[in-house]
Amino acid sequence: MTRYLITSALPYINGVKHLGTLVGSLLSADVYARFRRAQGFETLAICATDEHGSTTELAAAEAHMDVRAFCDLQYTMQKASGDGFALDWDHFGRSSSRANHELTQHFARLLWKNGHLETRTTKQVYSNADKRFLSDRYVIGTCPHCGYDRARGDQCENCTRVLDPVDLIDPRSALSGSRDIEIRDSTHLFLKQSAFVPKLREWIGGHTQDWPPLVTSIANKWLDEGLKDRGITRDVEWGVPVPDDIADGALKGKVFYVWFDAPIEYIGATREWAEANGKGEAWRDWWFGDAAKDVVYCQFMGKDNVPFHTVGFPVTIMGSGEPWKLVDRLKGFNWLNFEGGKFSTSQQRGVFMDSALEILPADYWRYWLMANAPETSDANFTWEQFAAQLNKDLADVLGNFVNRVTKFCAARFEGCVPSEGSYGAEEDTLIGELDGRVAALAALFEAMEFRKAMAELRAIFVAGNEYLTRAAPWTAIKTDRARAAAAVRMGLNLVHLFGHLAWPVMPTAARRIHESIQDAAEVIPWPDEPMAEFLDDLEYGLQIRVPQVLFQKIADEQVESWKRRFGGADGA
RNA sequence: GGCAGCGUAGCUCAGUGGUAGAGCAGGGGAAUCAUAAUCCCUUGGUCGGGGGUUCAAAUCCCUCCGCUGCUACCA
């Protein structure tokens, strides 16, 4: 039986993530993993923090913390945010783990041995005042093209031209402002990825049907423009050290580039998972050789990550010469914007995972983000649209349905699944419709078409309301108690169904819905039997419980206060 | 500058050669079980502009306009 290995692009360690990161990699992966788990497939959902690199070093310095302590703290916070959003990882690891160090060095040794790495001497900017090499972006100066005096060494933000730090006029360190900088030679390892273009092209060409156009077009663009060999080491301290047995120790004291070790942490975190759960070498069965032949590997990420997952990481794997798994299904997302502007971690603009949970339960966010996922183009978050859609879809269409059915049952049938009456034409029609819709919903989840899946899910809830209006047990009960009983029984079975279908997206609310009828399993399974069976499954006479209001409506005053608290794109 | 994507109803979006669609919002009605929640009907679009191919174009081609992203050392 197929097993599903599911990874989310690793969230960078420098702070709590915003809704854009959540929808594009963390949440979408979780919804897909839950769906597959609900279907009964063995799944392994893996994520981790991406901790290395100069950005982390500088963020830690700014926080006056030791790098490791900074990462420990941020890791704990990100893990807590993930738990708060019910992101049900099998393991949430860290790219700084011993497992990742070993695997990263393992891959590097293989690449070196196979002749896919070479050393090159490059010119790097060194700051005597900061006593460190500076990444291009940490050198600032005057742009030679437009004269902007705070251009960064990698690109001028004013005229958007790509720069080299040596082009800058009056260069200085962005860290200290010191002009005491010099160009030093530095030896680095380069991954000769240009040699892999034919293999990459063939591999990517085989996925034009099952990857979004966004993904294949980005991947092909990189190949078409001529793939350059890429430096995979850096002159920083916080990272995986280059082993001495590569290039006769010529890279002593250097570490691998964060984009080299971060994807390897997908494997590293799987090994962390095995170690944490006493599973020994079982992690290999998800990744390596024939043991992993039944694994379908699915990756979720924002479009900025696509090149590293369609080119960089695959070259690492191909070049190793070992049979590690390549990604099978790659789901990429566009950007989610905030009130017409960009979400920004550095500028703290938008809604972040921790503050989101302060104002509404996770399920509200989970549903809205999946229903508005930026799949075919960038999408926009606005408070007005957010509140309107949640009030309509969750409070009115879903929540109110559960409420009206269970309350009517309590009032007229002693809160028990009625045994009288039998299903007739009205029920047959509904069953026929839902057989089609539930199958369509499953197909959309399988296709990772989350936006359409949410529209289908909503249509299923609407079908329940339509049925109830047609069956009108509140009218029937006056003249034909058996007819009313059958309608209430169907209503309760629909509530039960909704609990099952909603679970991948809204696990907490789905559980409450399910538990209004009967206790729920840890994983609420996907209904795979025909609706004629599923919708007559509840035991006659079963005592149900009217739940508390499932989704509190969002009031206009709340919307206003959130707008004030979080501001808009203009930072107001 | 180069490359890529987008532009469809007031709003958010489906639709990639065959009679322009959905949800929300707006209008009318029904119902009164329910969180005033639901259900039915309905108004609304020269599919960014222009040109071309075709029996037929939102869809393919060219061009112009507008927006966005990427451009390899931020991740």
Side-chain angles (χ1 to χ4, degrees):
Chain A
M1 189 157 159
T2 302
R3 292 181 289 154
Y4 287 92
L5 172 63
I6 294 160
T7 61
S8 307
L10 306 189
Y12 200 61
I13 194 74
N14 66 338
V16 176
K17 300 295 106 176
H18 55 62
L19 298 182
T21 309
L22 181 60
V23 67
S25 64
L26 308 175
L27 176 57
S28 47
D30 184 65
V31 170
Y32 189 73
R34 283 176 182 272
F35 169 69
R36 288 306 191 183
R37 230 178 275 141
Q39 285 187 311
F41 291 103
E42 193 181 348
T43 66
L44 191 69
I46 294 291
C47 192
T49 42
D50 176 14
E51 305 193 356
H52 295 137
S54 55
T55 306
T56 305
E57 291 183 337
L58 297 169
E62 199 166 316
H64 304 291
M65 291 179 78
D66 167 73
V67 180
R68 189 173 300 277
F70 175 81
C71 287
D72 288 348
L73 174 66
Q74 293 292 332
Y75 171 83
T76 304
M77 288 169 61
Q78 294 211 12
K79 178 72 166 64
S81 287
D83 290 344
F85 270 95
L87 302 177
D88 194 11
W89 297 302
D90 287 285
H91 191 74
F92 185 62
R94 304 179 60 171
S95 70
S96 60
S97 68
R98 185 184 49 80
N100 192 42
H101 277 238
E102 289 180 10
L103 281 159
T104 298
Q105 293 178 341
H106 172 76
F107 276 103
R109 286 189 176 104
L110 289 173
L111 291 169
W112 176 256
K113 189 187 77 181
N114 295 338
H116 300 308
L117 298 180
E118 64 181 26
T119 56
R120 293 185 193 171
T121 300
T122 60
K123 307 281 187 196
Q124 300 292 321
V125 176
Y126 185 86
S127 165
N128 288 307
D130 300 297
K131 293 196 167 34
R132 59 176 297 153
F133 282 96
L134 298 176
S135 300
D136 291 359
R137 67 191 310 248
Y138 290 114
V139 183
I140 57 171
T142 300
C143 175
H145 303 288
C146 72
Y148 179 62
D149 68 351
R150 290 193 54 81
R152 294 192 326 218
D154 55 343
Q155 185 173 26
C156 174
E157 286 174 318
N158 189 48
C159 67
T160 73
R161 256 186 264 230
V162 178
L163 303 175
D164 197 279
V166 299
D167 298 336
L168 291 173
I169 300 159
D170 185 28
R172 54 201 187 272
S173 164
L175 308 182
S176 59
S178 168
R179 287 175 171 75
D180 183 13
I181 59 177
E182 61 188 55
I183 309 293
R184 288 191 185 176
D185 281 348
S186 183
T187 302
H188 284 290
L189 285 176
F190 276 72
L191 177 58
K192 297 193 276 184
Q193 46 185 18
S194 47
F196 290 84
V197 168
K199 280 181 93 167
L200 288 170
R201 213 177 269 287
E202 184 187 347
W203 176 62
I204 292 162
H207 285 290
T208 48
Q209 293 308 308
D210 57 355
W211 291 357
L214 173 74
V215 170
T216 47
S217 76
I218 291 174
N220 283 321
K221 194 196 79 173
W222 275 60
L223 300 183
D224 293 343
E225 288 182 356
L227 199 54
K228 296 175 194 162
D229 297 339
R230 185 163 196 132
I232 60 159
T233 51
R234 290 293 183 272
D235 289 297
V236 299
E237 291 180 4
W238 179 233
V240 178
V242 180
D244 288 345
D245 51 299
I246 289 179
D248 298 323
L251 293 118
K252 204 171 183 55
K254 307 196 180 199
V255 303
F256 288 104
Y257 175 38
V258 59
W259 261 115
F260 183 73
D261 81 74
I264 295 172
E265 168 62 3
Y266 293 140
I267 306 173
T270 311
R271 188 166 158 188
E272 292 172 50
W273 160 81
E275 286 167 358
N277 294 280
K279 292 182 182 292
E281 294 295 298
W283 61 276
R284 285 183 170 271
D285 300 343
W286 288 93
W287 283 99
F288 197 85
D290 286 346
K293 254 181 15 196
D294 58 341
V295 172
V296 172
Y297 176 25
C298 309
Q299 292 178 342
F300 293 82
M301 69 196 68
K303 59 185 170 186
D304 53 332
N305 276 290
V306 168
F308 303 103
H309 289 78
T310 53
V311 176
F313 188 40
V315 166
T316 299
I317 287 179
M318 290 173 179
S320 75
E322 292 186 339
W324 298 93
K325 262 205 101 58
L326 287 168
V327 62
D328 295 301
R329 301 278 308 279
L330 200 164
K331 176 70 175 180
F333 289 85
N334 287 283
W335 303 127
L336 179 67
N337 291 319
F338 176 72
E339 293 280 358
K342 281 198 239 179
F343 274 96
S344 166
T345 303
S346 56
Q347 295 176 48
Q348 286 294 303
R349 180 195 296 142
V351 184
F352 291 75
M353 285 173 70
D354 51 356
S355 43
L357 290 177
E358 288 170 13
I359 63 177
L360 283 173
D363 284 333
Y364 285 67
W365 297 102
R366 290 177 60 112
Y367 174 79
W368 188 90
L369 289 169
M370 286 291 94
N372 296 279
E375 292 179 311
T376 55
S377 63
D378 293 352
N380 194 24
F381 175 94
T382 67
W383 288 110
E384 304 283 358
Q385 195 263 350
F386 174 75
Q389 187 169 7
L390 292 179
N391 282 345
K392 191 68 180 173
D393 293 1
L394 297 189
D396 296 350
V397 174
L398 173 59
N400 182 56
F401 178 83
V402 173
N403 195 41
R404 65 199 293 216
V405 168
T406 53
K407 273 197 173 162
F408 189 77
C409 173
R412 299 306 190 108
F413 292 93
E414 294 78 48
C416 295
V417 177
S419 57
E420 307 141 71
S422 53
Y423 288 172
E426 209 65 82
E427 285 74 22
D428 288 346
T429 303
L430 173 69
I431 285 166
E433 179 185 354
L434 289 183
D435 272 326
R437 288 197 179 279
V438 172
L441 176 58
L444 289 168
F445 271 131
E446 281 167 16
M448 303 176 180
E449 298 253 24
F450 296 106
R451 220 174 165 121
K452 289 179 182 171
M454 292 306 99
E456 191 62 47
L457 183 61
R458 181 190 191 283
I460 289 170
F461 302 153
V462 167
N465 280 304
E466 290 171 0
Y467 163 78
L468 208 59
T469 298
R470 288 196 304 269
W474 49 87
T475 304
I477 196 148
K478 294 171 187 164
T479 56
D480 185 352
R481 185 175 168 87
R483 183 82 271 277
V488 169
R489 190 162 67 244
M490 175 57 88
L492 293 170
N493 274 286
L494 285 170
V495 169
H496 181 226
L497 175 68
F498 295 172
H500 281 253
L501 298 180
W503 184 74
V505 186
M506 296 176 278
T508 306
R511 177 166 302 281
R512 288 185 60 206
I513 291 169
H514 195 289
E515 287 177 345
S516 70
I517 306 294
Q518 59 187 351
D519 291 343
E522 181 62 30
V523 172
I524 300 182
W526 192 258
D528 53 3
E529 54 273 77
M531 284 298 113
E533 284 176 33
F534 195 92
L535 292 174
D536 201 8
D537 183 56
L538 295 181
E539 191 187 329
Y540 292 9
L542 179 70
Q543 182 74 44
I544 62 111
R545 337 169 240 252
V546 178
Q548 294 295 302
V549 167
L550 281 161
F551 299 100
Q552 206 74 49
K553 291 240 245 184
I554 298 167
D556 292 347
E557 305 83 71
Q558 285 176 289
V559 172
E560 289 310 313
S561 76
W562 296 337
K563 278 180 172 173
R564 282 195 300 274
R565 172 174 171 184
F566 293 95
D570 55 3

